[in-house]
Amino acid sequence: MNKAYLGLGTNMGNRVKYLRDACVMLSNHKNISICKISKVYETKAWGYTNQDDFLNICMEIDTNLEPEELLEVCHNIENQLKRVRTIRWGPRTIDVDILFFNNIASDDKVLTLPHPRIKERAFVLIPLMDLNKELIIDDKNISCYLSKLNKEEIEEVKEINIAFSI
């Protein structure tokens, strides 16, 4: 069985519904078992900042899929939830990224692992810390990268519990 960590984000429409729908789709997949889901965080846009705030979560899954097969599942969920890619880092109904897959380090042009910008994104590292504080990138704990980032624009949304609804 493979262990993977996914990052999910949304900033369009009913953000909670998009997160829940993506989580339900993942949990209903016959080759995926959700182990843990992080708390929900609201974050300011990153990259392209002229857009609404995001809701972000991370999840730990077990899967017998290979990395490329899991990526296809993630893209299919994005397509089913009407994600449109027009602006890089722009608004989206849902984004489902593979952050880690086992201990694979790959610089493949289709799927780079760990996720290539994970070290720069507190909105990913904070929910990952909810799941596993021992994750390592380039021989450093993820907390090391998080300590160097601005965390002020990321807030836990206590009234939303995605894990409870799955």
PDB file of all heavy atoms in Angstrom, residues 6-23:
ATOM      1  N   LEU A   6      -2.165  14.739   0.093  1.00  0.00           N
ATOM      2  CA  LEU A   6      -2.779  15.605  -0.908  1.00  0.00           C
ATOM      3  C   LEU A   6      -3.064  16.969  -0.294  1.00  0.00           C
ATOM      4  O   LEU A   6      -3.381  17.068   0.893  1.00  0.00           O
ATOM      5  CB  LEU A   6      -4.094  15.007  -1.417  1.00  0.00           C
ATOM      6  CG  LEU A   6      -4.053  13.583  -1.966  1.00  0.00           C
ATOM      7  CD1 LEU A   6      -5.455  13.149  -2.398  1.00  0.00           C
ATOM      8  CD2 LEU A   6      -3.077  13.470  -3.127  1.00  0.00           C
ATOM      9  N   GLY A   7      -3.003  17.996  -1.122  1.00  0.00           N
ATOM     10  CA  GLY A   7      -3.413  19.340  -0.724  1.00  0.00           C
ATOM     11  C   GLY A   7      -4.609  19.740  -1.561  1.00  0.00           C
ATOM     12  O   GLY A   7      -4.609  19.558  -2.787  1.00  0.00           O
ATOM     13  N   LEU A   8      -5.655  20.254  -0.911  1.00  0.00           N
ATOM     14  CA  LEU A   8      -6.862  20.694  -1.606  1.00  0.00           C
ATOM     15  C   LEU A   8      -7.120  22.152  -1.288  1.00  0.00           C
ATOM     16  O   LEU A   8      -6.962  22.578  -0.139  1.00  0.00           O
ATOM     17  CB  LEU A   8      -8.082  19.864  -1.181  1.00  0.00           C
ATOM     18  CG  LEU A   8      -8.137  18.419  -1.651  1.00  0.00           C
ATOM     19  CD1 LEU A   8      -7.235  17.531  -0.819  1.00  0.00           C
ATOM     20  CD2 LEU A   8      -9.555  17.897  -1.584  1.00  0.00           C
ATOM     21  N   GLY A   9      -7.525  22.914  -2.311  1.00  0.00           N
ATOM     22  CA  GLY A   9      -7.824  24.320  -2.109  1.00  0.00           C
ATOM     23  C   GLY A   9      -8.946  24.775  -3.024  1.00  0.00           C
ATOM     24  O   GLY A   9      -9.135  24.221  -4.106  1.00  0.00           O
ATOM     25  N   THR A  10      -9.682  25.786  -2.578  1.00  0.00           N
ATOM     26  CA  THR A  10     -10.797  26.334  -3.340  1.00  0.00           C
ATOM     27  C   THR A  10     -11.025  27.787  -2.953  1.00  0.00           C
ATOM     28  O   THR A  10     -10.847  28.146  -1.784  1.00  0.00           O
ATOM     29  CB  THR A  10     -12.089  25.524  -3.107  1.00  0.00           C
ATOM     30  OG1 THR A  10     -13.184  26.172  -3.758  1.00  0.00           O
ATOM     31  CG2 THR A  10     -12.413  25.380  -1.634  1.00  0.00           C
ATOM     32  N   ASN A  11     -11.406  28.610  -3.938  1.00  0.00           N
ATOM     33  CA  ASN A  11     -11.749  29.997  -3.604  1.00  0.00           C
ATOM     34  C   ASN A  11     -12.893  30.544  -4.464  1.00  0.00           C
ATOM     35  O   ASN A  11     -13.053  31.748  -4.582  1.00  0.00           O
ATOM     36  CB  ASN A  11     -10.524  30.910  -3.679  1.00  0.00           C
ATOM     37  CG  ASN A  11     -10.108  31.255  -5.092  1.00  0.00           C
ATOM     38  OD1 ASN A  11     -10.330  30.491  -6.017  1.00  0.00           O
ATOM     39  ND2 ASN A  11      -9.492  32.402  -5.252  1.00  0.00           N
ATOM     40  N   MET A  12     -13.681  29.656  -5.041  1.00  0.00           N
ATOM     41  CA  MET A  12     -14.811  30.094  -5.865  1.00  0.00           C
ATOM     42  C   MET A  12     -16.097  29.447  -5.356  1.00  0.00           C
ATOM     43  O   MET A  12     -16.084  28.296  -4.920  1.00  0.00           O
ATOM     44  CB  MET A  12     -14.602  29.682  -7.326  1.00  0.00           C
ATOM     45  CG  MET A  12     -13.473  30.392  -8.023  1.00  0.00           C
ATOM     46  SD  MET A  12     -13.252  29.813  -9.718  1.00  0.00           S
ATOM     47  CE  MET A  12     -14.752  30.415 -10.479  1.00  0.00           C
ATOM     48  N   GLY A  13     -17.184  30.182  -5.457  1.00  0.00           N
ATOM     49  CA  GLY A  13     -18.491  29.619  -5.145  1.00  0.00           C
ATOM     50  C   GLY A  13     -18.586  29.135  -3.715  1.00  0.00           C
ATOM     51  O   GLY A  13     -18.034  29.728  -2.792  1.00  0.00           O
ATOM     52  N   ASN A  14     -19.291  28.016  -3.536  1.00  0.00           N
ATOM     53  CA  ASN A  14     -19.466  27.420  -2.220  1.00  0.00           C
ATOM     54  C   ASN A  14     -18.210  26.611  -1.880  1.00  0.00           C
ATOM     55  O   ASN A  14     -18.111  25.409  -2.167  1.00  0.00           O
ATOM     56  CB  ASN A  14     -20.717  26.545  -2.194  1.00  0.00           C
ATOM     57  CG  ASN A  14     -21.045  26.028  -0.811  1.00  0.00           C
ATOM     58  OD1 ASN A  14     -20.180  25.934   0.053  1.00  0.00           O
ATOM     59  ND2 ASN A  14     -22.301  25.697  -0.596  1.00  0.00           N
ATOM     60  N   ARG A  15     -17.249  27.274  -1.265  1.00  0.00           N
ATOM     61  CA  ARG A  15     -15.936  26.673  -1.023  1.00  0.00           C
ATOM     62  C   ARG A  15     -16.023  25.413  -0.163  1.00  0.00           C
ATOM     63  O   ARG A  15     -15.337  24.421  -0.441  1.00  0.00           O
ATOM     64  CB  ARG A  15     -14.997  27.685  -0.374  1.00  0.00           C
ATOM     65  CG  ARG A  15     -14.765  28.924  -1.228  1.00  0.00           C
ATOM     66  CD  ARG A  15     -13.919  29.966  -0.537  1.00  0.00           C
ATOM     67  NE  ARG A  15     -14.503  30.355   0.733  1.00  0.00           N
ATOM     68  CZ  ARG A  15     -13.860  31.025   1.688  1.00  0.00           C
ATOM     69  NH1 ARG A  15     -12.603  31.380   1.518  1.00  0.00           N
ATOM     70  NH2 ARG A  15     -14.457  31.353   2.817  1.00  0.00           N
ATOM     71  N   VAL A  16     -16.855  25.440   0.860  1.00  0.00           N
ATOM     72  CA  VAL A  16     -16.985  24.271   1.740  1.00  0.00           C
ATOM     73  C   VAL A  16     -17.544  23.091   0.950  1.00  0.00           C
ATOM     74  O   VAL A  16     -17.049  21.965   1.075  1.00  0.00           O
ATOM     75  CB  VAL A  16     -17.872  24.599   2.968  1.00  0.00           C
ATOM     76  CG1 VAL A  16     -18.131  23.351   3.795  1.00  0.00           C
ATOM     77  CG2 VAL A  16     -17.229  25.682   3.816  1.00  0.00           C
ATOM     78  N   LYS A  17     -18.533  23.343   0.123  1.00  0.00           N
ATOM     79  CA  LYS A  17     -19.123  22.261  -0.690  1.00  0.00           C
ATOM     80  C   LYS A  17     -18.085  21.668  -1.647  1.00  0.00           C
ATOM     81  O   LYS A  17     -18.001  20.447  -1.787  1.00  0.00           O
ATOM     82  CB  LYS A  17     -20.329  22.771  -1.466  1.00  0.00           C
ATOM     83  CG  LYS A  17     -21.011  21.678  -2.285  1.00  0.00           C
ATOM     84  CD  LYS A  17     -22.241  22.197  -2.993  1.00  0.00           C
ATOM     85  CE  LYS A  17     -23.000  21.194  -3.812  1.00  0.00           C
ATOM     86  NZ  LYS A  17     -22.374  19.971  -4.202  1.00  0.00           N
ATOM     87  N   TYR A  18     -17.277  22.517  -2.270  1.00  0.00           N
ATOM     88  CA  TYR A  18     -16.251  21.989  -3.175  1.00  0.00           C
ATOM     89  C   TYR A  18     -15.240  21.118  -2.422  1.00  0.00           C
ATOM     90  O   TYR A  18     -14.855  20.043  -2.904  1.00  0.00           O
ATOM     91  CB  TYR A  18     -15.536  23.112  -3.922  1.00  0.00           C
ATOM     92  CG  TYR A  18     -16.345  23.671  -5.075  1.00  0.00           C
ATOM     93  CD1 TYR A  18     -16.687  25.009  -5.115  1.00  0.00           C
ATOM     94  CD2 TYR A  18     -16.754  22.854  -6.125  1.00  0.00           C
ATOM     95  CE1 TYR A  18     -17.430  25.532  -6.166  1.00  0.00           C
ATOM     96  CE2 TYR A  18     -17.495  23.362  -7.177  1.00  0.00           C
ATOM     97  CZ  TYR A  18     -17.836  24.700  -7.194  1.00  0.00           C
ATOM     98  OH  TYR A  18     -18.568  25.203  -8.244  1.00  0.00           O
ATOM     99  N   LEU A  19     -14.815  21.553  -1.242  1.00  0.00           N
ATOM    100  CA  LEU A  19     -13.892  20.721  -0.451  1.00  0.00           C
ATOM    101  C   LEU A  19     -14.541  19.398  -0.078  1.00  0.00           C
ATOM    102  O   LEU A  19     -13.934  18.332  -0.225  1.00  0.00           O
ATOM    103  CB  LEU A  19     -13.450  21.454   0.819  1.00  0.00           C
ATOM    104  CG  LEU A  19     -12.379  22.516   0.688  1.00  0.00           C
ATOM    105  CD1 LEU A  19     -12.079  23.139   2.047  1.00  0.00           C
ATOM    106  CD2 LEU A  19     -11.104  21.968   0.068  1.00  0.00           C
ATOM    107  N   ARG A  20     -15.782  19.479   0.414  1.00  0.00           N
ATOM    108  CA  ARG A  20     -16.477  18.243   0.816  1.00  0.00           C
ATOM    109  C   ARG A  20     -16.692  17.322  -0.376  1.00  0.00           C
ATOM    110  O   ARG A  20     -16.479  16.107  -0.269  1.00  0.00           O
ATOM    111  CB  ARG A  20     -17.807  18.580   1.476  1.00  0.00           C
ATOM    112  CG  ARG A  20     -17.635  19.090   2.876  1.00  0.00           C
ATOM    113  CD  ARG A  20     -18.952  19.187   3.626  1.00  0.00           C
ATOM    114  NE  ARG A  20     -18.673  19.565   5.001  1.00  0.00           N
ATOM    115  CZ  ARG A  20     -19.301  20.527   5.652  1.00  0.00           C
ATOM    116  NH1 ARG A  20     -20.274  21.206   5.063  1.00  0.00           N
ATOM    117  NH2 ARG A  20     -18.976  20.804   6.892  1.00  0.00           N
ATOM    118  N   ASP A  21     -17.129  17.881  -1.505  1.00  0.00           N
ATOM    119  CA  ASP A  21     -17.368  17.050  -2.691  1.00  0.00           C
ATOM    120  C   ASP A  21     -16.089  16.347  -3.132  1.00  0.00           C
ATOM    121  O   ASP A  21     -16.109  15.147  -3.452  1.00  0.00           O
ATOM    122  CB  ASP A  21     -17.933  17.889  -3.842  1.00  0.00           C
ATOM    123  CG  ASP A  21     -19.378  18.312  -3.627  1.00  0.00           C
ATOM    124  OD1 ASP A  21     -20.021  17.841  -2.654  1.00  0.00           O
ATOM    125  OD2 ASP A  21     -19.871  19.144  -4.430  1.00  0.00           O
ATOM    126  N   ALA A  22     -14.965  17.074  -3.143  1.00  0.00           N
ATOM    127  CA  ALA A  22     -13.696  16.456  -3.536  1.00  0.00           C
ATOM    128  C   ALA A  22     -13.309  15.349  -2.556  1.00  0.00           C
ATOM    129  O   ALA A  22     -12.862  14.271  -2.966  1.00  0.00           O
ATOM    130  CB  ALA A  22     -12.597  17.513  -3.612  1.00  0.00           C
ATOM    131  N   CYS A  23     -13.514  15.590  -1.268  1.00  0.00           N
ATOM    132  CA  CYS A  23     -13.189  14.573  -0.254  1.00  0.00           C
ATOM    133  C   CYS A  23     -14.078  13.341  -0.408  1.00  0.00           C
ATOM    134  O   CYS A  23     -13.595  12.205  -0.299  1.00  0.00           O
ATOM    135  CB  CYS A  23     -13.324  15.153   1.149  1.00  0.00           C
ATOM    136  SG  CYS A  23     -12.041  16.336   1.573  1.00  0.00           S
TER     137      CYS A  23
END
